[in-house]
Amino acid sequence: MLDTSLSESEAPEPLELDPFGFHPEATSRIRGLGGDGATADPDYAFHTAYVEAAPGRAVFTVRFQGLQAKSGTLMLRVHMVSSEPGARARMVNSERIALNRLIAIGGEFSIMFEGFREVSFALVGQIHGETDASAEGLTVTLDRPADPNARADYGAEARGTIYGKTPLRPAPFLLSTAKPTLADPVTQVATAEQLREPVAGGWMARLRPKGTSGTEHWRKAYTLQALRRYGMLEQGALGLGFERSASGMPAALAAMGTRVVAAFPTRAGSQPKTAPLKRDLADRAPCSKAVFDENVSARVCSWRRIPEDLVNFDFLWSARANEALYSVAAAAQFVEDAMACLRPGGLAVHTFSYDLTPSGRSIPSTERVLIQQGDIERIALLLVSRGHEVAQFKIDASDPILTLGSAEGAEHRTMDRTMVGLIARRVPLPD
């Protein structure tokens, strides 16, 4: 993959859009704005024309001049539509803010979304509830419009993954107290009961891992079962693995017909060479040399600033990013950033070391390493706010698999540490 990223000086300037470009004659619910014609939407405030955005994270910003209102709520909705003939528009993100609150913060508000090539986006504004709103003017700006001179082979492709059509079955509630199972994985805590399921034995027979059965065995079985359950273990699927050290995962995936890039983190004071890392990977699970050599590659890169050429994967997984990055906050940012590595509709499976003690400790997330329940909830809500899908979090942690530690040279199990897995799907393209 080639790195054809532009420097800041070469990147397109933010684009100011006509807020009423899609319905230039329609009357806005905000007095003083829009045209004088009728509209089919009684809540209509504004609707920009559709424009292309640069691949990756993009932001629409609205700025009102002279906004006055005592009541009413502004609803912002980002719509996107593929360039494919017959494609229909769909909403990919939404935000809402009370108009009196918007006035108090200066009349400016932003909404984020994910940009793809060959997809156009529009910002739609509606006013919900009774309102007396009026304004002197409105501007809408897109911070990262598409660059017409950018190379066509760079960036996230508009073509979604052809794998993994099994839905995540988004639940009406983010949290559930139901017992998690390995056979039907969602976002969940590692428990001993899961490792006693037949599906766990099947994965262990395939991986042939060394050492005592514990959290490491669980996270490998959980990751592989999640990829299988949601349809990613198909011939030709392309995966990206973030692991701190060599494991049997890439070889096992290659043996099942997928192609894998193993991305090891950079370390202070040393830069591991990829050739020894790949040789180490080859020794970790049964896979013929020819199949392994053809389908597995290794590289060393930053997990804090993921290289821009690591894109268009059908699935990815990570292990203990909170420990590799030495903070919960950095791990949360990593999870958000890693979604840009996936094709639309691609699947992410993350596993973290997990603190079983109740959330709410006074230590900031920048200084904590162990993920807590509240952290998983915040990460899930962040992903959902970006338009992604997140599997329900089954918080039951009875009979947890405790992580091995050491005290005075003797092995013991820590009483407050296990692992947790999180499953998310990148926002898919419109039907």
Side-chain angles (χ1 to χ4, degrees):
M1 300 178 184
L2 300 177
D3 183 359
T4 57
S5 57
L6 299 175
S7 67
E8 291 186 7
S9 62
E10 296 172 308
E13 294 293 323
L15 177 66
E16 186 172 317
L17 304 173
D18 179 355
F20 312 101
F22 195 79
H23 295 299
E25 304 299 327
T27 302
S28 172
R29 283 202 71 189
I30 304 175
R31 286 184 292 110
L33 301 181
D36 299 320
T39 173
D41 180 4
D43 295 328
Y44 171 81
F46 61 89
H47 190 321
T48 72
Y50 281 86
V51 296
E52 292 189 36
R57 192 181 309 167
V59 177
F60 279 124
T61 299
V62 297
R63 298 179 181 87
F64 287 92
Q65 294 83 48
L67 179 63
Q68 298 184 36
K70 293 181 181 178
S71 61
T73 297
L74 174 65
M75 171 67 79
L76 294 179
R77 301 169 59 181
V78 178
H79 288 188
M80 78 175 182
V81 62
S82 170
S83 61
E84 293 292 324
R88 296 174 296 172
R90 70 184 289 264
M91 186 181 74
V92 294
N93 200 10
S94 65
E95 296 278 0
R96 61 191 303 151
I97 184 171
L99 289 174
N100 55 9
R101 170 62 181 159
L102 181 58
I103 293 169
I105 63 175
E108 180 176 314
F109 197 62
S110 296
I111 182 169
M112 186 179 297
F113 63 97
E114 287 280 330
F116 305 111
R117 291 206 321 268
E118 300 180 13
V119 171
S120 297
F121 299 85
L123 183 63
V124 180
Q126 296 176 314
I127 301 295
H128 289 185
E130 295 297 322
T131 188
D132 57 349
S134 66
E136 298 171 1
L138 168 64
T139 60
V140 177
T141 304
L142 172 61
D143 71 328
R144 297 182 62 247
D147 177 12
N149 299 314
R151 289 182 51 161
D153 59 353
Y154 171 72
E157 294 183 354
R159 183 170 64 87
T161 177
I162 62 173
Y163 308 99
K165 300 305 182 183
T166 304
L168 285 186
R169 294 177 301 169
F173 301 102
L174 178 63
L175 304 182
S176 169
T177 57
K179 283 187 176 294
T181 67
L182 194 62
D184 192 13
V186 290
T187 300
Q188 63 199 58
V189 179
T191 63
E193 186 173 348
Q194 293 173 54
L195 278 184
R196 290 193 289 267
E197 293 180 43
V199 68
W203 286 122
M204 291 302 99
R206 181 182 291 271
L207 287 167
R208 301 180 190 174
K210 300 176 182 178
T212 305
S213 177
T215 52
E216 273 299 291
H217 287 191
W218 176 87
R219 70 101 177 164
K220 293 171 184 176
Y222 168 83
T223 300
L224 290 168
Q225 180 61 16
L227 294 176
R228 172 193 278 170
R229 173 67 181 82
Y230 298 106
M232 288 298 172
L233 298 187
E234 298 290 340
Q235 186 79 28
L238 180 60
L240 173 63
F242 294 93
E243 294 193 332
R244 297 179 66 188
S245 58
S247 80
M249 295 282 288
L253 288 165
M256 287 182 277
T258 68
R259 295 171 294 145
V260 173
V261 176
F264 295 95
T266 53
R267 293 180 175 84
S270 65
Q271 186 76 355
K273 296 181 179 180
T274 57
L277 287 171
K278 184 172 179 179
R279 285 198 300 269
D280 199 13
L281 286 172
D283 296 334
R284 297 286 171 159
C287 180
S288 74
K289 185 179 185 305
V291 170
F292 181 88
D293 290 343
E294 181 180 356
N295 292 290
V296 177
S297 62
R299 65 182 292 178
V300 178
C301 65
S302 170
W303 289 14
R304 290 182 181 270
R305 299 183 61 126
I306 300 173
E308 293 183 350
D309 66 317
L310 287 178
V311 291
N312 302 322
F313 290 89
D314 298 298
F315 65 87
L316 67 83
W317 80 94
S318 77
R320 301 183 186 272
N322 52 322
E323 294 182 23
L325 298 172
Y326 304 105
S327 93
V328 168
Q333 186 63 58
F334 163 79
V335 171
E336 181 183 2
D337 293 345
M339 297 303 284
C341 299
L342 295 168
R343 292 185 185 277
L347 193 77
V349 184
H350 299 280
T351 51
F352 308 98
S353 49
Y354 185 71
D355 188 351
L356 286 164
T357 57
S359 297
R361 289 180 175 178
S362 59
I363 304 173
S365 63
T366 52
E367 299 176 18
R368 283 190 291 111
V369 172
L370 291 184
I371 294 277
Q372 296 178 338
Q373 178 179 325
D375 300 315
I376 293 292
E377 294 172 22
R378 283 187 286 274
I379 292 171
L381 288 172
L382 174 66
L383 294 179
V384 170
S385 75
R386 302 292 188 258
H388 307 303
E389 300 174 2
V390 179
Q392 186 181 56
F393 184 14
K394 292 187 176 179
I395 61 175
D396 185 285
S398 56
D399 192 23
I401 306 170
L402 299 176
T403 301
L404 287 172
S406 62
E408 298 181 357
E411 225 178 43
H412 74 293
R413 291 185 181 270
T414 60
M415 298 306 295
D416 61 355
R417 183 182 302 186
T418 184
M419 293 201 79
V420 66
L422 181 146
I423 302 172
R425 191 189 300 283
R426 185 173 182 178
V427 55
L429 289 174
D431 296 331

